[in-house]
Amino acid sequence: MDDQLQIVKWEGKVALDISTNEIQAWSLLSEFFNLHLWLPGIATCEKVTGSESLPGSIRYVASPANEAGEVSWAKEELIGFDPVEKSFSYRVVESSMGFGEYVAHFRVFPGTGVGCRLEWSFECEPVIGWSREGLIGYLDSSLKGMAERLEKATNPDAKTTDDKVSYETNGKLDGKANGDKNSKANDVVNCETNCEVNVA
């Protein structure tokens, strides 16, 4: 019987407390086809099929062209939408950025004061050309940029923020073959990182 090899799965989460209240934040960030309004680095977000808030809807997102005229892009499918919990989930169905199986969850939580907490988590196969830490760093900086745009839109007089960013990652081998003949069926890798960063 052939040994069954295992494939590494990545999991991670970034979270940020902001001054915008949860109702305002959810009303703006839950618009699936308007990601380009809030996420720095995204120049285009267009409906491919479906309707706002309707699972099965697909959007096309793309970065600005680089100096060589190349554009990084992805098609993402909305797979869950819960206005009561103020959360939605999506998966990458096609991309130019090395993504295979990738599912993300976004949620807006009530804050401890007048603001709210944004949380963005994911589970995925290792992404070609990325490290898990690099992907976490990308989501971390993206969430900060999203929060900055959101706060400016809902509170244009705000001058500074004193928010905390925390993130957690957990990677493990899950029992699927990854083609690495040096892997063992019972190998398990656990990696957890917990950080808080003060945003000036």
Side-chain angles (χ1 to χ4, degrees):
M1 182 175 66
D2 293 336
D3 289 338
Q4 184 178 16
L5 302 178
Q6 298 178 337
I7 188 168
V8 174
K9 284 285 187 178
W10 293 354
E11 296 179 2
K13 177 173 65 178
V14 294
L16 179 65
D17 295 320
I18 65 172
S19 62
T20 303
N21 72 57
E22 63 172 312
I23 303 300
Q24 289 177 308
W26 172 249
S27 69
L28 297 173
L29 299 179
S30 62
E31 295 179 347
F32 192 63
F33 302 126
N34 283 338
L35 184 65
H36 60 297
L37 299 179
W38 310 112
L39 187 60
I42 297 297
T44 302
C45 180
E46 300 174 345
K47 179 175 77 171
V48 176
T49 185
S51 303
E52 284 287 359
S53 310
L54 181 66
S57 299
I58 295 175
R59 68 186 178 190
Y60 169 84
V61 296
S63 69
N66 62 20
E67 292 181 359
E70 300 167 332
V71 171
S72 296
W73 61 269
K75 289 183 180 178
E76 300 172 342
E77 178 186 5
L78 184 65
I79 57 175
F81 188 89
D82 188 337
V84 175
E85 293 294 328
K86 297 181 177 62
S87 68
F88 63 87
S89 302
Y90 65 93
R91 70 183 184 97
V92 172
V93 294
E94 189 178 355
S95 85
S96 66
M97 299 177 286
F99 285 87
E101 179 185 327
Y102 178 94
V103 175
H105 313 278
F106 195 92
R107 188 169 178 187
V108 179
F109 290 92
T112 54
V114 296
C116 69
R117 183 174 182 83
L118 307 179
E119 184 179 286
W120 194 355
S121 61
F122 70 90
E123 307 94 38
C124 69
E125 296 173 343
V127 183
I128 298 170
W130 294 66
S131 67
R132 182 174 53 242
E133 293 75 16
L135 182 56
I136 288 287
Y138 168 75
L139 292 180
D140 176 46
S141 62
S142 295
L143 192 62
K144 290 176 186 175
M146 182 183 292
E148 183 177 350
R149 287 187 177 186
L150 191 64
E151 288 182 325
K152 284 181 179 177
T154 58
N155 186 11
D157 295 329
K159 296 179 181 178
T160 61
T161 60
D162 186 20
D163 299 322
K164 291 184 177 179
V165 177
S166 64
Y167 65 85
E168 302 171 7
T169 64
N170 179 46
K172 59 185 177 181
L173 301 175
D174 77 343
K176 294 181 180 178
N178 68 355
D180 182 354
K181 63 184 179 182
N182 295 319
S183 298
K184 297 180 181 178
N186 295 322
D187 285 348
V188 176
V189 174
N190 288 302
C191 174
E192 296 185 359
T193 306
N194 294 285
C195 300
E196 285 197 343
V197 181
N198 288 322
V199 181

